[in-house]
Amino acid sequence: DTGVSQDPRHKITKRGQNVTFRCDPISEHNRLYWYRQTLGQGPEFLTYFQNEAQLEKSRLLSDRFSAERPKGSFSTLEIQRTEQGDSAMYLCASSFRQPMNTEAFFGQGTRLTVV
Amino acid sequence: QQQVKQSPQSLIVQKGGISIINCAYENTAFDYFPWYQQFPGKGPALLIAIRPDVSEKKEGRFTISFNKSAKQFSLHIMDSQPGDSATYFCAANNNQAGTALIFGKGTTLSVSS
């Protein structure tokens, strides 16, 4: 296992278009997190899953954002009707909870630019 | 409400010097305090972490000092090297409850040779 994998690494889209990002966590990890990071800021929590259940969503996750983890393995994050303010690095992380959380490993992120 | 406040925003240290980054938290339910290191174009990577039952943890050149009563913790990098030049983030969460990590805004460290 090579760690958390995110695809694509970079995405340039026109304002108003929809985009979808994929995250493949470390295989045995049951927790999966999405964060957003803008330049000069720390990662901001968006949402997380335990297995296929979405347990928490941040206020940052507007109704244009939706995340899924249909089989408790990979996850997708979709942004509809993108806006320039959505330009950021979208980070995925995974960990194992049994019963406490283990270390969270991050992927390299998907950098979104909305033009 | 920013739950984890980090300072300084940037830091320049000479090679061989000590780098010190500070964080303060507000939520007394937090019970896990990691530091992450991030290089440009990469995701954050865990450097070292501490739980509140100890006041200090050391791993190689990296030490976390934790002050529960003051709700503060700090990262000390001894014998700083140019390869340590990166952005460092403190974070915290209620690990027992399984909440997500809350990150500070980051400190950009430059170690001059």
Side-chain angles (χ1 to χ4, degrees):
Chain A
D1 194 334
T2 56
V4 179
S5 177
Q6 292 189 244
D7 184 70
R9 292 291 311 280
H10 303 275
K11 178 70 177 179
I12 299 174
T13 191
K14 291 184 179 180
R15 190 175 52 187
Q17 297 294 303
N18 299 344
V19 293
T20 300
F21 310 140
R22 177 179 170 124
C23 172
D24 287 89
I26 293 172
S27 57
E28 63 268 25
H29 284 181
N30 55 6
R31 281 274 175 111
L32 187 149
Y33 306 83
W34 285 99
Y35 285 83
R36 181 175 69 188
Q37 186 178 25
T38 53
L39 199 62
Q41 300 294 315
E44 295 174 299
F45 168 70
L46 294 177
T47 187
Y48 81 87
F49 294 83
Q50 177 151 327
N51 300 313
E52 65 275 8
Q54 189 173 16
L55 296 187
E56 187 178 351
K57 291 192 289 187
S58 162
R59 289 174 300 162
L60 293 175
L61 208 68
S62 78
D63 56 8
R64 296 185 298 106
F65 287 67
S66 62
E68 293 183 341
R69 195 183 182 198
K71 296 182 180 180
S73 56
F74 73 91
S75 175
T76 57
L77 178 68
E78 181 183 17
I79 308 174
Q80 296 182 326
R81 305 181 303 281
T82 52
E83 302 173 355
Q84 286 189 322
D86 297 331
S87 295
M89 175 80 85
Y90 290 84
L91 293 164
C92 175
S94 70
S95 68
F96 186 73
R97 180 164 177 80
Q98 185 62 43
M100 304 281 279
N101 286 351
T102 61
E103 170 187 351
F105 290 85
F106 280 81
Q108 296 199 60
T110 294
R111 180 164 294 285
L112 173 66
T113 302
V114 181
V115 297
Chain B
Q1 181 185 15
Q2 187 183 350
Q3 296 194 57
V4 180
K5 293 184 179 180
Q6 183 172 347
S7 62
Q9 187 175 354
S10 63
L11 185 60
I12 300 174
V13 173
Q14 286 196 331
K15 180 182 176 182
I18 302 173
S19 305
I20 302 174
I21 306 170
N22 301 299
C23 273
Y25 63 96
E26 299 168 358
N27 190 337
T28 55
F30 288 160
D31 60 4
Y32 177 65
F33 304 90
W35 285 90
Y36 279 79
Q37 179 188 56
Q38 186 176 31
F39 293 103
K42 304 289 187 182
L46 180 68
L47 194 61
I48 186 172
I50 197 168
R51 298 185 191 278
D53 51 344
V54 297
S55 60
E56 186 174 283
K57 183 175 181 180
K58 184 176 181 180
E59 290 184 359
R61 296 184 295 109
F62 302 93
T63 300
I64 298 180
S65 296
F66 183 79
N67 185 329
K68 188 174 181 178
S69 60
K71 293 188 287 185
Q72 295 176 346
F73 58 109
S74 60
L75 176 69
H76 296 235
I77 306 174
M78 312 299 287
D79 187 26
S80 298
Q81 299 296 312
D84 296 330
S85 298
T87 301
Y88 293 81
F89 296 97
C90 62
N93 76 334
N94 183 333
N95 202 12
Q96 189 165 9
T99 62
L101 286 170
I102 305 298
F103 285 81
K105 292 191 173 185
T107 297
T108 301
L109 172 65
S110 296
V111 181
S112 60
S113 53

